[in-house]
Amino acid sequence: GMSMDAMTEQEQEAYLQRLGVLVKPAGPDCNLRCEYCFYRPKLSLYPNSRRHQMSREVMHKFVGDYMQMAGMNPSFGWQGGEPTTLGLDFFRRVVAVQMQKAKPGQAIANGFQTNGVLIDADWARFLHRYNFLVGLSLDGPQYVHDYYRIDMGKRPTWDRVMRTVKTLREHQVEFNILCMVTAFSADKATEIYDFFM
């Protein structure tokens, strides 16, 4: 692509109108230990430290700066690791800063990728109220999902994720599914598709 310096002012404005940001405020931190996770080796880069997590001050500056430079449809994609490990209050502050810094007429979009294990009714009410689009990690039927998606105690997670599906539906949270295809699940595509249908 072309650098911003080489663009005309109109081209820069059109580019910024389409620009969204992907944010990993918890870094590689996660409450699961999925066997296939490419972040697991990264955890050793941060021994006994949470300094890599986005601080309140950095979040305020980042969100405020992006809101000012973005076009009329700023888009935030919150991912991890697992973003829910930062707690609901972190995201309440995010929305407060977004509203404080919004220009007249801006329509803010928030996407949220999660394993779903920590989502409860309070989370769901918040996600619905502020119209977050949730991506929920679910690999298919129980025996497929639990083959790799385990918690730190090596316990399966499917039951907890399915409770989250119910909670999201009860609170009318818009969500989609992110399904990891692995060597174990690749030959089970029809069964996985039927499960999701």
Side-chain angles (χ1 to χ4, degrees):
M2 192 186 319
S3 78
M4 289 286 280
D5 292 338
M7 294 180 186
T8 67
E9 194 172 312
Q10 291 82 9
E11 288 170 332
Q12 287 179 11
E13 180 61 30
Y15 176 75
L16 292 173
Q17 290 285 339
R18 299 187 309 270
L19 184 64
V21 291
L22 176 65
V23 194
K24 297 181 177 285
D29 289 354
C30 191
N31 54 334
L32 300 187
R33 288 295 177 267
C34 301
E35 300 273 337
Y36 54 55
C37 181
F38 54 88
Y39 275 124
R40 286 179 70 190
K42 305 293 185 245
L43 292 170
S44 63
L45 297 174
Y46 308 102
N48 304 317
S49 171
R50 298 223 175 246
R51 285 180 297 172
H52 57 280
Q53 291 186 344
M54 185 178 279
S55 68
R56 183 185 295 194
E57 295 74 28
V58 169
M59 182 275 290
H60 275 257
K61 176 142 181 57
F62 164 72
V63 171
D65 287 355
Y66 173 64
M67 293 293 294
Q68 289 306 302
M69 72 173 246
M72 294 311 290
N73 299 292
S75 174
F76 295 82
W78 302 97
Q79 296 195 6
E82 175 53 40
T84 59
T85 60
L86 289 172
L88 182 51
D89 283 344
F90 177 87
F91 287 96
R92 285 183 176 130
R93 286 192 296 272
V94 164
V95 168
V97 174
Q98 288 174 338
M99 290 191 292
Q100 177 189 15
K101 300 292 184 175
K103 297 182 269 191
Q106 268 185 324
I108 303 160
N110 284 289
F112 195 79
Q113 183 61 43
T114 180
N115 61 42
V117 170
L118 297 178
I119 301 286
D120 60 11
D122 288 339
W123 269 103
R125 281 189 287 271
F126 168 83
L127 295 166
H128 172 76
R129 178 176 182 187
Y130 295 106
N131 207 26
F132 276 60
L133 173 61
V134 174
L136 182 65
S137 297
L138 177 61
D139 288 353
Q142 186 167 9
Y143 82 99
V144 175
H145 177 91
D146 285 342
Y147 190 82
Y148 286 119
R149 296 191 65 79
I150 55 176
D151 67 15
M152 287 188 262
K154 301 194 178 204
R155 293 177 301 259
T157 61
W158 189 85
D159 285 333
R160 286 175 272 176
V161 176
M162 292 308 292
R163 276 196 300 273
T164 295
V165 167
K166 185 175 184 235
T167 300
L168 294 175
R169 285 180 173 156
E170 285 172 354
H171 290 87
Q172 299 177 317
V173 177
E174 188 176 351
F175 71 97
N176 54 42
I177 299 294
L178 187 145
C179 173
M180 182 68 74
V181 178
T182 66
F184 177 73
S185 65
D187 63 349
K188 299 164 182 61
T190 302
E191 183 180 353
I192 292 168
Y193 177 82
D194 289 344
F195 167 78
F196 286 134
M197 289 298 101

